[in-house]
Amino acid sequence: MKERVLDLQCRSMKNNLVFTGLYNVRDENTEELLRCFLYNELGIDYKIEFGNVHRFGRYQGGGRPIVARFLYHCDLQYVLDNAYRLRNTRYGIKQQFPKEIEDRRRKLYPIMKEAKRNRKIATLVRDRLFIDNELYQNVTRYITMIFYTLAIIYFKRENYDRFKDYYYKGVEAEKKQLPSLPAWDTYSRKKARLHIKLLEGFSDRYLEGPK
């Protein structure tokens, strides 16, 4: 039910953009102020049709944010496509989302930046992150821990083939994690790495996973 309400809220905001960095002007016409901004900063020289334009929220660096509802989604997308022109300025443009969705997105921003730094294609759609066209799911750590735990269980049972099988599955799972999400140095991980050393005669060539 909660997710359905969030979905409805997102749909109601899908044609909204939030603009920050525009100073408050006494007795301002907010819509006209926004049009001047779009022309001067983004070079948009045609009249965009708005349903509503107003300020909201708290003051941020001299002015409250402006939210604008676009009548045509193609206009909204054109503004977003030109937002790169605002790099290294005080201005910002972003899509509007409910607070809970925005909080989820905020947690994904560092992961998206890390992926782009590693020359991966990263796209944030609502509260879902796609990396190289695959949905990013923050479950790799748990999977890694499960593999290492199973490896220890089979080591204690002296089933060394199954032990090595699960150990290397844990290693492969770690490799799929982004550098910004290093593997947890849990008891199971430490113990499994110690066991593989003992089993393979302390040879480092068997420790191919992240250290």
Side-chain angles (χ1 to χ4, degrees):
M1 182 64 180
K2 182 179 179 181
E3 290 299 318
R4 180 167 177 77
V5 171
L6 283 174
D7 181 63
L8 290 173
Q9 289 177 336
C10 286
R11 290 175 185 272
S12 70
M13 297 176 176
K14 70 177 183 179
N15 282 347
N16 293 5
L17 286 183
V18 176
F19 298 82
T20 57
L22 283 79
Y23 294 147
N24 278 73
V25 179
R26 188 173 182 178
D27 299 325
E28 71 180 19
N29 181 325
T30 309
E31 181 173 330
E32 189 59 34
L33 179 69
L34 181 59
R35 291 189 185 281
C36 290
F37 166 79
L38 294 175
Y39 177 78
N40 294 327
E41 301 298 333
L42 300 185
I44 297 176
D45 57 0
Y46 70 94
K47 186 177 181 179
I48 291 177
E49 297 293 334
F50 295 114
N52 188 24
V53 178
H54 65 273
R55 290 190 182 269
F56 75 107
R58 298 179 180 178
Y59 277 83
Q60 299 178 12
R64 294 191 300 159
I66 293 174
V67 60
R69 178 181 292 276
F70 289 69
L71 291 185
Y72 303 107
H73 191 77
C74 59
D75 289 336
L76 178 148
Q77 192 58 53
Y78 186 67
V79 171
L80 286 178
D81 289 344
N82 284 276
Y84 71 91
R85 299 172 183 267
L86 302 179
R87 196 170 297 158
N88 299 322
T89 70
R90 72 171 188 266
Y91 303 112
I93 301 175
K94 65 179 182 179
Q95 292 176 278
Q96 188 182 34
F97 294 100
K99 182 180 182 305
E100 186 164 341
I101 297 296
E102 192 61 61
D103 290 342
R104 295 177 190 176
R105 288 169 61 87
R106 196 172 293 113
K107 293 177 181 178
L108 293 171
Y109 289 148
I111 301 168
M112 181 173 67
K113 289 181 180 179
E114 183 67 31
K116 289 183 176 181
R117 194 176 296 120
N118 291 326
R119 298 185 178 181
K120 296 179 182 291
I121 299 173
T123 307
L124 194 55
V125 180
R126 195 179 289 186
D127 59 345
R128 295 186 298 171
L129 175 62
F130 292 86
I131 299 177
D132 287 342
N133 295 321
E134 291 187 6
L135 178 63
Y136 168 78
Q137 294 177 309
N138 191 13
V139 297
T140 313
R141 288 181 170 186
Y142 297 100
I143 293 174
T144 303
M145 185 172 62
I146 290 170
F147 283 148
Y148 284 140
T149 301
L150 288 171
I152 292 172
I153 291 172
Y154 281 108
F155 185 88
K156 291 179 178 179
R157 294 177 181 176
E158 298 184 357
N159 188 335
Y160 300 124
D161 288 336
R162 295 299 297 275
F163 161 71
K164 287 196 290 184
D165 181 46
Y166 279 108
Y167 173 80
Y168 286 114
K169 283 182 178 180
V171 169
E172 289 304 312
E174 281 191 54
K175 288 180 179 178
K176 293 179 181 179
Q177 293 179 189
L178 293 171
S180 59
L181 287 174
W184 290 336
D185 217 7
T186 57
Y187 170 83
S188 59
R189 182 175 185 264
K190 291 179 180 178
K191 201 74 172 178
R193 291 172 71 81
L194 175 61
H195 287 338
I196 198 70
K197 276 188 174 184
L198 292 172
L199 192 63
E200 303 291 0
F202 296 92
S203 175
D204 287 339
R205 66 191 179 91
Y206 293 100
L207 299 177
E208 299 174 355
K211 296 181 179 180

mmCIF file of all heavy atoms in Angstrom, residues 167-196:
data_model
loop_
_atom_site.group_PDB
_atom_site.id
_atom_site.type_symbol
_atom_site.label_atom_id
_atom_site.label_comp_id
_atom_site.label_asym_id
_atom_site.label_seq_id
_atom_site.Cartn_x
_atom_site.Cartn_y
_atom_site.Cartn_z
ATOM 1 N N TYR A 167 33.962 -21.166 -1.527
ATOM 2 C CA TYR A 167 34.942 -20.105 -1.283
ATOM 3 C C TYR A 167 35.124 -19.253 -2.538
ATOM 4 O O TYR A 167 35.082 -18.024 -2.485
ATOM 5 C CB TYR A 167 36.290 -20.686 -0.861
ATOM 6 C CG TYR A 167 37.357 -19.617 -0.781
ATOM 7 C CD1 TYR A 167 37.450 -18.792 0.333
ATOM 8 C CD2 TYR A 167 38.237 -19.403 -1.844
ATOM 9 C CE1 TYR A 167 38.398 -17.782 0.396
ATOM 10 C CE2 TYR A 167 39.182 -18.398 -1.788
ATOM 11 C CZ TYR A 167 39.262 -17.594 -0.666
ATOM 12 O OH TYR A 167 40.190 -16.591 -0.611
ATOM 13 N N TYR A 168 35.308 -19.907 -3.675
ATOM 14 C CA TYR A 168 35.544 -19.156 -4.905
ATOM 15 C C TYR A 168 34.277 -18.478 -5.422
ATOM 16 O O TYR A 168 34.352 -17.475 -6.135
ATOM 17 C CB TYR A 168 36.170 -20.055 -5.966
ATOM 18 C CG TYR A 168 37.615 -20.349 -5.651
ATOM 19 C CD1 TYR A 168 38.038 -21.629 -5.334
ATOM 20 C CD2 TYR A 168 38.554 -19.317 -5.625
ATOM 21 C CE1 TYR A 168 39.359 -21.888 -5.013
ATOM 22 C CE2 TYR A 168 39.876 -19.568 -5.302
ATOM 23 C CZ TYR A 168 40.277 -20.850 -4.995
ATOM 24 O OH TYR A 168 41.585 -21.092 -4.667
ATOM 25 N N LYS A 169 33.115 -19.008 -5.038
ATOM 26 C CA LYS A 169 31.878 -18.281 -5.339
ATOM 27 C C LYS A 169 31.851 -16.971 -4.552
ATOM 28 O O LYS A 169 31.394 -15.934 -5.055
ATOM 29 C CB LYS A 169 30.658 -19.133 -4.983
ATOM 30 C CG LYS A 169 30.355 -20.230 -5.998
ATOM 31 C CD LYS A 169 29.104 -20.998 -5.611
ATOM 32 C CE LYS A 169 28.790 -22.069 -6.667
ATOM 33 N NZ LYS A 169 27.574 -22.840 -6.308
ATOM 34 N N GLY A 170 32.328 -17.015 -3.321
ATOM 35 C CA GLY A 170 32.434 -15.799 -2.518
ATOM 36 C C GLY A 170 33.400 -14.807 -3.132
ATOM 37 O O GLY A 170 33.143 -13.601 -3.165
ATOM 38 N N VAL A 171 34.518 -15.316 -3.645
ATOM 39 C CA VAL A 171 35.508 -14.455 -4.301
ATOM 40 C C VAL A 171 34.894 -13.774 -5.522
ATOM 41 O O VAL A 171 35.055 -12.564 -5.731
ATOM 42 C CB VAL A 171 36.744 -15.280 -4.711
ATOM 43 C CG1 VAL A 171 37.657 -14.457 -5.620
ATOM 44 C CG2 VAL A 171 37.512 -15.741 -3.478
ATOM 45 N N GLU A 172 34.169 -14.543 -6.340
ATOM 46 C CA GLU A 172 33.551 -13.977 -7.538
ATOM 47 C C GLU A 172 32.479 -12.951 -7.182
ATOM 48 O O GLU A 172 32.328 -11.935 -7.864
ATOM 49 C CB GLU A 172 32.947 -15.097 -8.396
ATOM 50 C CG GLU A 172 33.981 -15.969 -9.083
ATOM 51 C CD GLU A 172 34.933 -15.158 -9.943
ATOM 52 O OE1 GLU A 172 34.450 -14.310 -10.727
ATOM 53 O OE2 GLU A 172 36.152 -15.355 -9.823
ATOM 54 N N ALA A 173 31.730 -13.224 -6.108
ATOM 55 C CA ALA A 173 30.707 -12.267 -5.678
ATOM 56 C C ALA A 173 31.349 -10.953 -5.251
ATOM 57 O O ALA A 173 30.831 -9.871 -5.528
ATOM 58 C CB ALA A 173 29.882 -12.855 -4.536
ATOM 59 N N GLU A 174 32.504 -11.028 -4.585
ATOM 60 C CA GLU A 174 33.214 -9.814 -4.174
ATOM 61 C C GLU A 174 33.658 -9.001 -5.381
ATOM 62 O O GLU A 174 33.612 -7.771 -5.376
ATOM 63 C CB GLU A 174 34.430 -10.178 -3.328
ATOM 64 C CG GLU A 174 34.115 -10.509 -1.889
ATOM 65 C CD GLU A 174 35.371 -10.599 -1.056
ATOM 66 O OE1 GLU A 174 36.146 -9.625 -1.066
ATOM 67 O OE2 GLU A 174 35.590 -11.635 -0.416
ATOM 68 N N LYS A 175 34.087 -9.687 -6.422
ATOM 69 C CA LYS A 175 34.580 -8.985 -7.608
ATOM 70 C C LYS A 175 33.481 -8.171 -8.280
ATOM 71 O O LYS A 175 33.763 -7.188 -8.965
ATOM 72 C CB LYS A 175 35.154 -9.986 -8.610
ATOM 73 C CG LYS A 175 36.480 -10.604 -8.184
ATOM 74 C CD LYS A 175 36.965 -11.587 -9.234
ATOM 75 C CE LYS A 175 38.297 -12.205 -8.839
ATOM 76 N NZ LYS A 175 38.759 -13.193 -9.838
ATOM 77 N N LYS A 176 32.231 -8.586 -8.095
ATOM 78 C CA LYS A 176 31.114 -7.889 -8.727
ATOM 79 C C LYS A 176 30.713 -6.632 -7.971
ATOM 80 O O LYS A 176 29.924 -5.837 -8.466
ATOM 81 C CB LYS A 176 29.910 -8.828 -8.843
ATOM 82 C CG LYS A 176 30.139 -9.971 -9.812
ATOM 83 C CD LYS A 176 28.928 -10.883 -9.872
ATOM 84 C CE LYS A 176 29.178 -12.040 -10.829
ATOM 85 N NZ LYS A 176 28.014 -12.967 -10.880
ATOM 86 N N GLN A 177 31.249 -6.477 -6.763
ATOM 87 C CA GLN A 177 30.923 -5.291 -5.982
ATOM 88 C C GLN A 177 31.717 -4.100 -6.485
ATOM 89 O O GLN A 177 32.828 -4.236 -6.988
ATOM 90 C CB GLN A 177 31.233 -5.522 -4.499
ATOM 91 C CG GLN A 177 30.339 -6.554 -3.860
ATOM 92 C CD GLN A 177 30.667 -6.801 -2.405
ATOM 93 O OE1 GLN A 177 30.153 -7.705 -1.816
ATOM 94 N NE2 GLN A 177 31.517 -5.987 -1.823
ATOM 95 N N LEU A 178 31.125 -2.923 -6.336
ATOM 96 C CA LEU A 178 31.834 -1.703 -6.687
ATOM 97 C C LEU A 178 32.846 -1.367 -5.607
ATOM 98 O O LEU A 178 32.668 -1.735 -4.443
ATOM 99 C CB LEU A 178 30.842 -0.547 -6.823
ATOM 100 C CG LEU A 178 29.871 -0.664 -7.997
ATOM 101 C CD1 LEU A 178 28.820 0.419 -7.891
ATOM 102 C CD2 LEU A 178 30.595 -0.568 -9.312
ATOM 103 N N PRO A 179 33.919 -0.646 -5.954
ATOM 104 C CA PRO A 179 34.917 -0.267 -4.952
ATOM 105 C C PRO A 179 34.335 0.504 -3.779
ATOM 106 O O PRO A 179 34.878 0.480 -2.686
ATOM 107 C CB PRO A 179 35.895 0.607 -5.759
ATOM 108 C CG PRO A 179 35.753 0.123 -7.159
ATOM 109 C CD PRO A 179 34.304 -0.240 -7.311
ATOM 110 N N SER A 180 33.225 1.211 -4.008
ATOM 111 C CA SER A 180 32.615 1.977 -2.926
ATOM 112 C C SER A 180 31.888 1.082 -1.930
ATOM 113 O O SER A 180 31.451 1.535 -0.888
ATOM 114 C CB SER A 180 31.625 2.992 -3.495
ATOM 115 O OG SER A 180 30.624 2.332 -4.243
ATOM 116 N N LEU A 181 31.753 -0.216 -2.265
ATOM 117 C CA LEU A 181 31.107 -1.159 -1.362
ATOM 118 C C LEU A 181 32.036 -2.344 -1.106
ATOM 119 O O LEU A 181 31.812 -3.443 -1.595
ATOM 120 C CB LEU A 181 29.792 -1.665 -1.961
ATOM 121 C CG LEU A 181 28.636 -0.685 -1.979
ATOM 122 C CD1 LEU A 181 27.467 -1.288 -2.731
ATOM 123 C CD2 LEU A 181 28.217 -0.332 -0.569
ATOM 124 N N PRO A 182 33.122 -2.134 -0.369
ATOM 125 C CA PRO A 182 34.036 -3.239 -0.104
ATOM 126 C C PRO A 182 33.358 -4.325 0.713
ATOM 127 O O PRO A 182 32.395 -4.079 1.421
ATOM 128 C CB PRO A 182 35.158 -2.563 0.705
ATOM 129 C CG PRO A 182 34.510 -1.380 1.325
ATOM 130 C CD PRO A 182 33.489 -0.901 0.333
ATOM 131 N N ALA A 183 33.878 -5.542 0.597
ATOM 132 C CA ALA A 183 33.282 -6.663 1.322
ATOM 133 C C ALA A 183 33.414 -6.455 2.821
ATOM 134 O O ALA A 183 34.382 -5.887 3.309
ATOM 135 C CB ALA A 183 33.972 -7.962 0.914
ATOM 136 N N TRP A 184 32.404 -6.895 3.543
ATOM 137 C CA TRP A 184 32.486 -6.847 4.998
ATOM 138 C C TRP A 184 33.579 -7.787 5.470
ATOM 139 O O TRP A 184 33.668 -8.930 5.035
ATOM 140 C CB TRP A 184 31.162 -7.285 5.609
ATOM 141 C CG TRP A 184 30.056 -6.314 5.411
ATOM 142 C CD1 TRP A 184 30.155 -4.979 5.178
ATOM 143 C CD2 TRP A 184 28.660 -6.615 5.423
ATOM 144 N NE1 TRP A 184 28.921 -4.416 5.051
ATOM 145 C CE2 TRP A 184 27.978 -5.401 5.195
ATOM 146 C CE3 TRP A 184 27.923 -7.782 5.608
ATOM 147 C CZ2 TRP A 184 26.602 -5.322 5.152
ATOM 148 C CZ3 TRP A 184 26.553 -7.705 5.566
ATOM 149 C CH2 TRP A 184 25.900 -6.493 5.343
ATOM 150 N N ASP A 185 34.415 -7.334 6.363
ATOM 151 C CA ASP A 185 35.462 -8.195 6.893
ATOM 152 C C ASP A 185 34.883 -8.993 8.061
ATOM 153 O O ASP A 185 35.270 -8.829 9.214
ATOM 154 C CB ASP A 185 36.660 -7.350 7.343
ATOM 155 C CG ASP A 185 37.976 -8.057 7.052
ATOM 156 O OD1 ASP A 185 37.931 -9.111 6.390
ATOM 157 O OD2 ASP A 185 39.016 -7.568 7.486
ATOM 158 N N THR A 186 33.938 -9.862 7.759
ATOM 159 C CA THR A 186 33.230 -10.621 8.775
ATOM 160 C C THR A 186 34.057 -11.814 9.235
ATOM 161 O O THR A 186 35.064 -12.186 8.631
ATOM 162 C CB THR A 186 31.900 -11.139 8.214
ATOM 163 O OG1 THR A 186 32.180 -11.927 7.049
ATOM 164 C CG2 THR A 186 30.995 -9.990 7.826
ATOM 165 N N TYR A 187 33.574 -12.433 10.300
ATOM 166 C CA TYR A 187 34.234 -13.636 10.821
ATOM 167 C C TYR A 187 34.299 -14.712 9.738
ATOM 168 O O TYR A 187 35.338 -15.352 9.543
ATOM 169 C CB TYR A 187 33.467 -14.152 12.037
ATOM 170 C CG TYR A 187 33.909 -15.524 12.504
ATOM 171 C CD1 TYR A 187 35.025 -15.674 13.330
ATOM 172 C CD2 TYR A 187 33.215 -16.666 12.111
ATOM 173 C CE1 TYR A 187 35.436 -16.927 13.746
ATOM 174 C CE2 TYR A 187 33.616 -17.920 12.524
ATOM 175 C CZ TYR A 187 34.727 -18.054 13.346
ATOM 176 O OH TYR A 187 35.128 -19.300 13.751
ATOM 177 N N SER A 188 33.183 -14.912 9.014
ATOM 178 C CA SER A 188 33.138 -15.964 8.002
ATOM 179 C C SER A 188 34.143 -15.702 6.887
ATOM 180 O O SER A 188 34.793 -16.621 6.386
ATOM 181 C CB SER A 188 31.727 -16.096 7.424
ATOM 182 O OG SER A 188 31.304 -14.884 6.850
ATOM 183 N N ARG A 189 34.296 -14.440 6.496
ATOM 184 C CA ARG A 189 35.238 -14.098 5.426
ATOM 185 C C ARG A 189 36.671 -14.355 5.879
ATOM 186 O O ARG A 189 37.475 -14.958 5.157
ATOM 187 C CB ARG A 189 35.054 -12.635 5.033
ATOM 188 C CG ARG A 189 35.946 -12.174 3.882
ATOM 189 C CD ARG A 189 35.581 -10.741 3.492
ATOM 190 N NE ARG A 189 36.321 -10.293 2.336
ATOM 191 C CZ ARG A 189 37.443 -9.586 2.392
ATOM 192 N NH1 ARG A 189 37.974 -9.283 3.565
ATOM 193 N NH2 ARG A 189 38.045 -9.196 1.291
ATOM 194 N N LYS A 190 37.006 -13.896 7.086
ATOM 195 C CA LYS A 190 38.362 -14.091 7.604
ATOM 196 C C LYS A 190 38.679 -15.579 7.758
ATOM 197 O O LYS A 190 39.760 -16.051 7.402
ATOM 198 C CB LYS A 190 38.512 -13.387 8.955
ATOM 199 C CG LYS A 190 38.498 -11.874 8.879
ATOM 200 C CD LYS A 190 38.625 -11.275 10.274
ATOM 201 C CE LYS A 190 38.622 -9.755 10.227
ATOM 202 N NZ LYS A 190 38.707 -9.175 11.596
ATOM 203 N N LYS A 191 37.711 -16.321 8.309
ATOM 204 C CA LYS A 191 37.921 -17.744 8.561
ATOM 205 C C LYS A 191 38.072 -18.513 7.256
ATOM 206 O O LYS A 191 38.936 -19.386 7.126
ATOM 207 C CB LYS A 191 36.729 -18.298 9.356
ATOM 208 C CG LYS A 191 37.031 -19.590 10.101
ATOM 209 C CD LYS A 191 37.893 -19.328 11.315
ATOM 210 C CE LYS A 191 38.037 -20.580 12.159
ATOM 211 N NZ LYS A 191 38.913 -20.347 13.332
ATOM 212 N N ALA A 192 37.239 -18.181 6.270
ATOM 213 C CA ALA A 192 37.306 -18.874 4.984
ATOM 214 C C ALA A 192 38.642 -18.619 4.298
ATOM 215 O O ALA A 192 39.247 -19.525 3.723
ATOM 216 C CB ALA A 192 36.156 -18.424 4.087
ATOM 217 N N ARG A 193 39.137 -17.391 4.374
ATOM 218 C CA ARG A 193 40.417 -17.064 3.746
ATOM 219 C C ARG A 193 41.567 -17.769 4.466
ATOM 220 O O ARG A 193 42.551 -18.171 3.839
ATOM 221 C CB ARG A 193 40.615 -15.546 3.735
ATOM 222 C CG ARG A 193 39.649 -14.840 2.790
ATOM 223 C CD ARG A 193 39.724 -13.332 2.919
ATOM 224 N NE ARG A 193 40.966 -12.807 2.376
ATOM 225 C CZ ARG A 193 41.179 -12.585 1.082
ATOM 226 N NH1 ARG A 193 40.239 -12.880 0.204
ATOM 227 N NH2 ARG A 193 42.319 -12.084 0.664
ATOM 228 N N LEU A 194 41.444 -17.935 5.767
ATOM 229 C CA LEU A 194 42.466 -18.669 6.514
ATOM 230 C C LEU A 194 42.451 -20.145 6.116
ATOM 231 O O LEU A 194 43.501 -20.754 5.899
ATOM 232 C CB LEU A 194 42.215 -18.526 8.016
ATOM 233 C CG LEU A 194 43.136 -19.340 8.928
ATOM 234 C CD1 LEU A 194 44.592 -18.915 8.745
ATOM 235 C CD2 LEU A 194 42.719 -19.178 10.386
ATOM 236 N N HIS A 195 41.247 -20.712 5.982
ATOM 237 C CA HIS A 195 41.133 -22.127 5.626
ATOM 238 C C HIS A 195 41.703 -22.406 4.241
ATOM 239 O O HIS A 195 42.342 -23.436 4.021
ATOM 240 C CB HIS A 195 39.667 -22.563 5.676
ATOM 241 C CG HIS A 195 39.122 -22.689 7.063
ATOM 242 N ND1 HIS A 195 39.926 -22.872 8.166
ATOM 243 C CD2 HIS A 195 37.836 -22.662 7.532
ATOM 244 C CE1 HIS A 195 39.177 -22.952 9.252
ATOM 245 N NE2 HIS A 195 37.902 -22.822 8.892
ATOM 246 N N ILE A 196 41.460 -21.497 3.292
ATOM 247 C CA ILE A 196 41.973 -21.744 1.941
ATOM 248 C C ILE A 196 43.492 -21.677 1.941
ATOM 249 O O ILE A 196 44.167 -22.396 1.202
ATOM 250 C CB ILE A 196 41.369 -20.754 0.918
ATOM 251 C CG1 ILE A 196 41.535 -21.279 -0.515
ATOM 252 C CG2 ILE A 196 41.992 -19.379 1.024
ATOM 253 C CD1 ILE A 196 40.680 -22.464 -0.838
#
